[in-house]
Amino acid sequence: MTSFLERARSDIGTPPIAALQIGARRFSDHRAHAVEAFPPMDDMRDRARAIRLHTLANLDRYLAQFADALEGVGGHVFFAADAHEANEYVVQLAHARNVERIVKSKSMLTEELHLNDALEAEGMEVVETDLGELIVQLANDRPSHIIAPVLHKTRFEIGTLFEEKLGVPYTDDPIQLNTIARRHLRPLFLTADMGISGVNIAVAQTGSICIVTNEGNGRLTTTAPRIHVAMLGAERLVPSIGDMSVILEVLARSATGQKLSVYTNVLTGPRRPGEPDGPDELHVVIVDNGRSKVLAGPSSEILACIRCGACLNVCPVYRTVGGHAYGSTYPGPVGSVLTPALFDLDEWSDLPYASTLCGACLEVCPVRIDIPRLLLDQRNLSVQTRTGPMWMRRPLRAYAGAATHPGRFRALLRAGAVIGRLFRTGWIRRLPWRGAAWTRGRDLQAPVKSFHRRWKERNRGS
């Protein structure tokens, strides 16, 4: 597996990153305007944080309450410990119901589980219906943003893709591209046997699930096919409908700058007798896949995330390297914490270092998650467990050995001052090995005498 630095190096400065930067800045500007126009935003953020942290602290109780409420209105609940159990449940359900075609609305959780691969391996046709996810699927690409999967693509690329994959005349007009996608998807919705969606918020009190989209595909996915399967991350609950409304107040404003997303669907159970629309069956798969481990550890606060993507849009690292460099389903600052916490810190030990710790992510987070602190906690853990990058661990260990012993530290400063005299300009233009990454784009100030040393020399008259 390549490292974050290797992946980032191949993406920096490319046209996809330029397209992504424009989109991220636009989202960020829209958020700023929306927050300015909504004076209660700060209070709402405090309330949203309190709701999310309270729910996480009582998650077992609310999960049980949600399952009882959903089964009470005719839904089915399955608790999946990991990706294999979650995928196996959906595959077996599809086999049992003779499902051939499946339509999907956008779901980061299904990306995390690789659910499409599991279904396609069993010979089923899976069609992404979110426009961005459809483009990703046609291009055999990967999402680069939590809410905007193809933020890295231009309309010209999409026009060429549609021409090649859908056999339509080339156009780069966004309205026409949307029309082409709609015409392509409409008959697929009407002939699909199963619809699979994610869940933005689940309500423990009523057993309801809330799905937020800006396209009508979410509603069609959950109502047109005869079976609806909702994939729910175990942490995405709130206690009541009132709590859900608070989350909705901050979600769209933080994500896209909208007061509310265009489609906010709240579903409570399958279609009841006499109702004209809705699925015959509703199955909610509640997925753990490492979340219990995170909840019990020092990074549990990250589970309060409501997946708005605001932290990505303001992050200078994400804007520079894009989403693919993170190598995970979850890019950006939230992914730098969540991925190593959910999975193996040894495998993802470089992600906590993919941050300048500028604090911009904390400034915009709608539930005030202290991502910089969580990143520092994970860096500390990687040092303690010796799972961090070797090139980082050895120099830091050497520095710590010097900085914690006054005699060694003074000797280090004296050596540095001697070395600094070799650079008459006061600046080092080129460093070897890993240091070359620093001097490739900037100069490094040469070591000088410490302030304390210079003060002593001046007061001695030297």
Side-chain angles (χ1 to χ4, degrees), residues 54-74:
H54 166 78
T55 308
L56 292 174
N58 300 276
L59 191 58
D60 53 346
R61 174 160 63 90
Y62 286 121
L63 281 170
Q65 185 182 8
F66 172 81
D68 290 344
L70 179 60
E71 289 172 348
V73 293

Side-chain angles (χ1 to χ4, degrees), residues 239-257:
S240 68
I241 290 287
D243 295 326
M244 180 187 74
S245 68
V246 173
I247 302 299
L248 291 175
E249 289 280 10
V250 298
L251 177 58
R253 286 183 169 88
S254 301
T256 57

Side-chain angles (χ1 to χ4, degrees), residues 80 86-87 89-90 104 107 109-110 113 115 196-200 209 228-233 236 283-287:
N87 292 344
Y89 179 82
V90 180
K104 271 187 74 244
S107 164
L109 178 57
T110 59
L113 303 174
L115 178 58
I196 298 178
S197 73
V199 178
N200 290 90
I209 56 175
H228 173 203
V229 177
M231 307 299 292
L232 169 64
R236 306 297 293 276
H283 297 253
V284 176
V285 181
I286 301 176
V287 181

Side-chain angles (χ1 to χ4, degrees), residues 84-240:
H84 173 74
E85 283 192 11
N87 292 344
E88 188 65 14
Y89 179 82
V90 180
V91 166
Q92 293 304 321
L93 177 66
H95 277 310
R97 303 296 190 273
N98 299 315
V99 168
E100 295 181 357
R101 173 173 289 164
I102 299 168
V103 288
K104 271 187 74 244
S105 65
K106 184 175 176 304
S107 164
M108 296 301 289
L109 178 57
T110 59
E111 296 279 347
E112 174 189 324
L113 303 174
H114 301 289
L115 178 58
N116 285 16
D117 296 337
L119 291 165
E120 288 170 349
E122 294 293 321
M124 295 161 206
E125 179 190 6
V126 183
V127 182
E128 296 286 353
T129 64
D130 172 89
L131 179 57
E133 291 287 353
L134 173 65
I135 294 166
V136 166
Q137 187 178 41
L138 291 174
N140 195 26
D141 200 349
R142 291 183 294 122
S144 61
H145 191 280
I146 287 177
I147 66 165
V150 288
L151 201 61
H152 60 292
K153 285 192 178 295
T154 67
R155 57 193 169 96
F156 309 107
E157 293 175 280
I158 296 167
T160 302
L161 179 71
F162 279 11
E163 182 182 28
E164 292 176 359
K165 300 292 184 178
L166 301 182
V168 297
Y170 172 83
T171 177
D172 54 43
D173 179 68
I175 294 176
Q176 289 194 36
L177 290 171
N178 273 306
T179 302
I180 291 169
R182 189 177 294 118
R183 286 175 180 163
H184 170 70
L185 291 171
R186 181 64 57 146
L188 300 177
F189 281 121
L190 299 179
T191 55
D193 306 296
M194 175 183 283
I196 298 178
S197 73
V199 178
N200 290 90
I201 309 164
V203 182
Q205 182 185 41
T206 60
S208 306
I209 56 175
C210 177
I211 300 169
V212 177
T213 72
N214 274 320
E215 303 169 23
N217 70 305
R219 184 163 294 177
L220 279 167
T221 298
T222 58
T223 57
R226 53 190 168 89
I227 305 164
H228 173 203
V229 177
M231 307 299 292
L232 169 64
E235 80 280 18
R236 306 297 293 276
L237 268 77
V238 295
S240 68

